[in-house]
């Protein structure tokens, strides 16, 4: 059996807010446009699924079930119908926390696109930090 691995990048930001507060905020898909406009400019609950408009077109976002471990993994179904799994965690760090997003390079992504995706995720994480720390 042949296993093909793709490069990943772990992108993170420290947030000076308690883990539970950050987890609860990120876990609510309605908040996504405020901190991750690169993913979606709007998300609305439609027939039990979070549907949104993104720079790529119409997407569907499904978060992992609520949990006590800080797991915020989410699947994004693209307009093409392809689903991308996005590992994401909130980890306690003293009185604050660290938010870690694992960006996995997709088979159709060039080096340049992967670099742009990493920049976009980093910008979204910086926006999350601002939103959480500045109110």
């Amino acid at each position: 059996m042949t296993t093909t691995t793709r490069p990943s990048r772990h992108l993170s930001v420290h947030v000076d807010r308690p883990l539970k507060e950050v987890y609860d905020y990120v876990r609510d898909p309605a908040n996504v446009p405020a901190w991750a406009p690169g993913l979606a400019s709007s998300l609305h609950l439609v027939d039990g699924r979070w549907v949104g408009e993104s720079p790529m077109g119409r997407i569907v976002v499904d978060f992992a079930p609520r949990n006590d471990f800080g797991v915020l993994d989410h699947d994004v179904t693209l307009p093409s119908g392809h689903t991308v799994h996005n590992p994401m965690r909130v980890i306690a760090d003293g009185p604050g926390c660290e938010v870690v997003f694992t960006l996995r390079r997709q088979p159709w992504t060039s080096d340049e696109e992967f670099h742009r995706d990493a920049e976009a995720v980093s910008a979204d994480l910086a926006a999350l930090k601002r939103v959480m720390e500045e109110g």
Side-chain angles (χ1 to χ4, degrees):
M1 178 164 103
T2 302
T3 302
T4 303
T5 59
R6 297 186 307 263
S8 294
R9 288 195 54 196
H10 301 286
L11 306 163
S12 67
V13 66
H14 183 272
V15 180
D16 288 323
R17 302 299 304 162
L19 178 146
K20 182 174 178 358
E21 187 177 319
V22 174
Y23 176 85
D24 287 344
Y25 181 80
V26 174
R27 175 74 181 73
D28 183 348
N31 292 328
V32 166
W35 68 270
L39 175 59
S41 58
S42 67
L43 278 177
H44 303 284
L45 197 56
V46 177
D47 297 327
R49 307 225 26 225
W50 288 94
V51 178
E53 292 305 318
S54 81
M56 303 163 279
R58 183 179 182 268
I59 60 168
V60 177
V61 180
D62 294 301
F63 274 91
R66 184 170 294 283
N67 61 82
D68 294 330
F69 304 106
V71 175
L72 290 165
D73 290 8
H74 53 284
D75 291 336
V76 177
T77 303
L78 304 173
S80 66
H82 186 83
T83 299
V84 176
H85 180 69
N86 299 287
M88 189 173 182
R89 305 287 185 276
V90 181
I91 303 164
D93 185 14
C97 63
E98 181 180 16
V99 180
V100 181
F101 184 99
T102 301
L103 177 64
R104 291 199 170 134
R105 183 171 173 176
Q106 299 304 309
W108 60 83
T109 306
S110 69
D111 288 345
E112 184 177 301
E113 291 168 323
F114 187 58
H115 179 74
R116 276 198 312 265
D117 287 347
E119 287 179 338
V121 170
S122 293
D124 288 347
L125 292 174
L128 176 61
K129 177 179 178 69
R130 266 191 317 280
V131 166
M132 294 306 302
E133 293 179 358
E134 296 173 7

